[in-house]
Amino acid sequence: MPRTSRYARDVAVVAFAQSDHLRRTDELSEVEMVMPVLHEVLAATGLKAGEIGFTCSGSSDYLAGRAFSFTMTLDGVGAWPPISESHVEMDGAWALYEAWVKIQTGEADTALVYSYGKSSPGSVRDVLTRQLDPYYLAPLWPDSVALAALQARALIDAGETDEAALAGVAARSRAAAEGNPHAQLRGAVPQGEYQVAPLRTGDCPPIGDGAAAVVLAAGDTARRLCERPAWITGIDHRIEAHGLGLRDLTDSPSTRLAAERAGLFEAPVDTAELHAPFSSQEVVLRKALGLGPGDGDGVAVNPSGGALAANPVMAAGLIRIGEAAARIHRGASDRAVAHATSGPCLQQNLVAVLEGDRA
Amino acid sequence: MTAASPPQVLRAPLVVEFPFTRSLGPVQSAFLTGLRERVVLGVRTGDGRVMVPPVEYDPVTAEEIRELVEVAPAGTVTTWAWNGDPRPQQPLATPFAWVLVRLDGADTAILHALDAPGPDAVRTGMRVRIRWAADRTGAITDIACFEPEARGAREPDARPAAPHDGAFADPVTGIVAEARLDYTYSPGRAQSAYINALAERRTVGERCPSCHKVYVPPRGACPTCGVATTDRVEVGPAGTVTTYCVVNIKARNAMSDGIEVPYVYAHIALDGADLALHGRIGGIPYDQVRMGLRVEPVWTDGGRYPDHYRPTGEPDADYDAYKELI
Ligand SMILES: [Zn+2]
């Protein structure tokens, strides 16, 4: 049994799979990229596509450059005869939240959650400007690196980090990714030139294509499908004010609030998978989640390498939940926190606390 | 073509443009009209804070806020980032700083560009002033950028923001939010093969290894079984009309210009295919087209896909032969 239970039903991540994350995948359509991941995650549970109670995906038409792009990847889940299905135009972590709610309502016992993004066809820095406020921000085309750089400068001015410390975050992430065969950037990567100062190439995530999937299951079904389910003992997501100039960019009160509501602060964690595409954002998230500034405090932060090692847009947040769950599945973690973000400068944040059964 | 792309995979430019027309509420209308008139307006929240740019609802309490105030066109940089390589649609073509600026009289900051000679000329806390665009239409780009305030310029204005009724002649009530995104589209392996075969006036589909259905055009996956379709199958060229409609309204686009209405648009199951594709039926009066009609593709010179389908003259197909494909 999960240690704590704040919800009507106990729900766990019972399987996780991800693609290799690559700079470009021209030879694969999106469904061809997603399908092997779906097959892998279903094979891990022994479930057939038709046995899944609910399917939910996350992706973005703006990345694909085409309307209703998610309908193409539905071919990969065997959508005929009709299945119970939904989609969010957001990172797959939010698709997981919707699936978790569906299971909480009792309408499903299992859910397949997947997400994917191909950044290679367009310029992801420009594409992401289209998610900004259309009146005051989007006409200026401030790209994702520029906005993260404003946040990084604010942190440096506040004395919370400096360029050397940010380089340290980047180096630690890529070193950790040495053990992650799916990562796009592994090992020593030069910090490089300024992209938008104070952020250098090394402070920014790689641009790439990739996909991920998890299977959620409730109660006894979870125990049947997985030897050591990763129980979601808390999950919550919160949002900051829209205007960047209304916010204190050195902090993330929405992450802190989501973590409180998810019960993070009730007991220590041993693993944290943080969705911080920019090195500076890890500084903000560590503070919001009370993780301390660096190694040596007993919490493995982004042992997968995190988004600095692979950042398939729309899937990178779901991958954080999947990586945290996978550590619980294999006994490397007992209590983990996973975080996902969406929007500029950590605008929207989701926090999930995952726990394994204790011996 | 990159080394990672097998030569048979197609790539082509894809441009997506969408001019969204957006209406403005009273607060945004006053702010953007004000910019046109070189007046910067903010809005005062219930607890007395002044937000510039203004929002219609308090982000903390969600209370509707409408009390407009005028603030100074100069202020203080709260954070900045040096953009050494401006992207095409950004405010300045030469290297510049992105800045958040708290205008005098405001409690929040506005994002814009700062024209400065280099990063050494920029610091948090520096004084900056709006440079107005020559042509102003009521948009955030009416602020061309910020520029450093001249040495010896007055210190931050301690006066509170002044009340303003937000009334202007000929107020701006909407904006057109232009967007253009450039992509290089690749249809992937399965659809590349389909398009390449069409260039040779052949139609290829892919068979599902599980249910053995042949999909045309192929998308690389069987939507029923959720598995990859990899077994390539040539289908057609002839096929059967499974269902159709009569089009009575002429479409206004280049592809339809030479086509007189009424005409028939049909679902056509090519021989050997388990999915019908779309096509126009020609060579027969529109009111003589029927389910079961046998048709074949007609190619025009240089055409990259069949221009239309015409009757083969064969007897009609039995309903049972195509009823599963309707
Ligand atoms: Zn099949």
Side-chain angles (χ1 to χ4, degrees), chain A residues 24 26-27 32 39 62 66 75 78-79 121 123 126 134-136 140-141 143 146 150 153-154 157 196-197 245-246, chain B residues 9 11 22 28 53-54 79-82 87 89-91 98 108-109 111 124 183-186 189 219 222-224 226:
Chain A
R24 40 185 343 117
D26 290 352
E27 71 287 3
E32 289 172 317
H39 294 169
Y62 281 72
R66 142 181 100 176
D75 288 352
S123 162
D126 297 325
Y135 305 98
Y136 303 153
L140 306 176
W141 293 78
D143 60 275
L150 286 168
R153 173 74 63 196
D157 285 340
V196 180
L246 304 178
Chain B
V9 172
R11 304 179 74 190
R22 296 180 174 273
Q28 289 179 318
T79 186
W80 61 282
W82 186 255
R87 304 176 79 76
Q89 289 153 299
Q90 292 177 345
W98 289 107
T108 65
L111 180 104
T124 298
Y183 301 87
T184 301
Y185 181 69
S186 175
R189 174 196 58 77
R219 294 206 299 246
C222 174
T224 304

Side-chain angles (χ1 to χ4, degrees), chain B:
Chain B
M1 199 77 65
T2 65
S5 327
Q8 71 271 21
V9 172
L10 298 170
R11 304 179 74 190
L14 170 69
V15 178
V16 176
E17 286 183 285
F18 37 96
F20 281 122
T21 302
R22 296 180 174 273
S23 55
L24 304 171
V27 170
Q28 289 179 318
S29 172
F31 175 71
L32 292 179
T33 308
L35 294 186
R36 191 188 68 197
E37 307 303 325
R38 305 198 206 197
V39 170
V40 186
L41 299 182
V43 68
R44 199 186 298 278
T45 62
D47 64 0
R49 291 175 8 114
V50 171
M51 302 198 159
V52 181
V55 293
E56 292 142 325
Y57 295 89
D58 186 310
V60 177
T61 65
E63 176 194 9
E64 186 175 359
I65 42 180
R66 298 276 286 265
E67 188 189 339
L68 295 167
V69 292
E70 182 176 352
V71 300
T76 303
V77 170
T78 63
T79 186
W80 61 282
W82 186 255
N83 187 24
D85 186 16
R87 304 176 79 76
Q89 289 153 299
Q90 292 177 345
L92 296 169
T94 51
F96 67 89
W98 289 107
V99 283
L100 279 167
V101 177
R102 189 168 55 237
L103 294 171
D104 298 342
D107 295 293
T108 65
I110 185 170
L111 180 104
H112 221 293
L114 170 68
D115 188 5
D120 293 342
V122 187
R123 60 181 173 79
T124 298
M126 77 184 287
R127 297 284 303 163
V128 296
R129 174 170 289 276
I130 289 174
R131 179 193 296 164
W132 296 103
D135 297 318
R136 295 182 307 281
T137 59
I140 192 67
T141 45
D142 288 354
I143 299 175
C145 62
F146 281 87
E147 57 192 22
E149 198 160 53
R151 188 181 292 275
R154 65 188 170 76
E155 283 304 295
D157 198 333
R159 281 178 310 169
H164 193 288
D165 63 8
F168 296 97
D170 188 22
V172 177
T173 57
I175 61 165
V176 178
E178 303 273 3
R180 175 193 164 119
L181 295 170
D182 284 87
Y183 301 87
T184 301
Y185 181 69
S186 175
R189 174 196 58 77
Q191 292 177 91
S192 288
Y194 172 75
I195 294 167
N196 282 331
L198 281 181
E200 301 166 7
R201 302 195 172 185
R202 295 184 302 117
T203 302
V204 298
E206 286 188 351
R207 192 190 308 276
C208 172
S210 176
C211 68
H212 309 296
K213 282 191 168 142
V214 173
Y215 292 95
V216 183
R219 294 206 299 246
C222 174
T224 304
C225 306
V227 299
T229 56
T230 50
D231 182 11
R232 196 162 295 159
V233 181
E234 185 161 343
V235 299
T240 301
V241 172
T242 62
T243 185
Y244 65 94
C245 64
V246 180
V247 179
N248 285 290
I249 297 171
K250 201 168 168 60
R252 288 206 309 176
N253 64 51
M255 246 164 56
S256 308
D257 271 356
I259 302 168
E260 290 307 315
V261 292
Y263 66 86
V264 168
Y265 204 68
H267 272 188
I268 301 156
L270 296 181
D271 294 346
D274 292 291
L275 189 70
L277 45 69
H278 310 230
R280 181 169 62 87
I281 305 298
I284 182 173
Y286 74 91
D287 56 359
Q288 291 179 28
V289 175
R290 55 207 181 261
M291 290 169 69
L293 181 69
R294 294 285 296 161
V295 294
E296 63 188 4
V298 178
W299 299 79
T300 52
D301 283 346
R304 289 153 70 185
Y305 44 85
D307 178 71
H308 64 275
Y309 291 78
R310 69 180 172 210
T312 62
E314 297 166 82
D316 286 2
D318 282 340
Y319 179 68
D320 283 348
Y322 61 86
K323 67 180 182 186
E324 298 293 331
L325 302 177
I326 294 175

Side-chain angles (χ1 to χ4, degrees), chain A residues 150-162 248-251 283-284 287, chain B residues 78-79 124:
Chain A
L150 286 168
Q151 185 173 33
R153 173 74 63 196
L155 285 163
I156 292 170
D157 285 340
E160 303 212 17
T161 191
D162 55 34
D248 173 1
L249 295 179
T250 68
D251 200 3
V283 177
V284 178
K287 183 167 75 168
Chain B
T78 63
T79 186
T124 298

Side-chain angles (χ1 to χ4, degrees), chain A residues 220-305:
Chain A
D220 289 340
T221 306
R223 290 182 192 90
R224 179 167 58 79
L225 298 176
C226 180
E227 199 167 314
R228 191 172 194 244
W231 300 105
I232 300 171
T233 59
I235 186 167
D236 198 285
H237 64 99
R238 301 282 159 164
I239 185 170
E240 312 262 323
H242 204 104
L244 290 172
L246 304 178
R247 292 163 49 186
D248 173 1
L249 295 179
T250 68
D251 200 3
S252 184
S254 60
T255 298
R256 187 177 294 111
L257 180 58
E260 274 172 23
R261 300 300 174 101
L264 172 65
F265 303 122
E266 292 165 13
V269 291
D270 52 43
T271 297
E273 279 286 344
L274 308 180
H275 186 190
F278 297 93
S279 59
S280 43
Q281 294 179 340
E282 185 181 303
V283 177
V284 178
L285 292 172
R286 280 176 178 267
K287 183 167 75 168
L289 297 173
L291 292 173
D295 293 339
D297 45 16
V299 184
V301 174
N302 285 346
S304 66

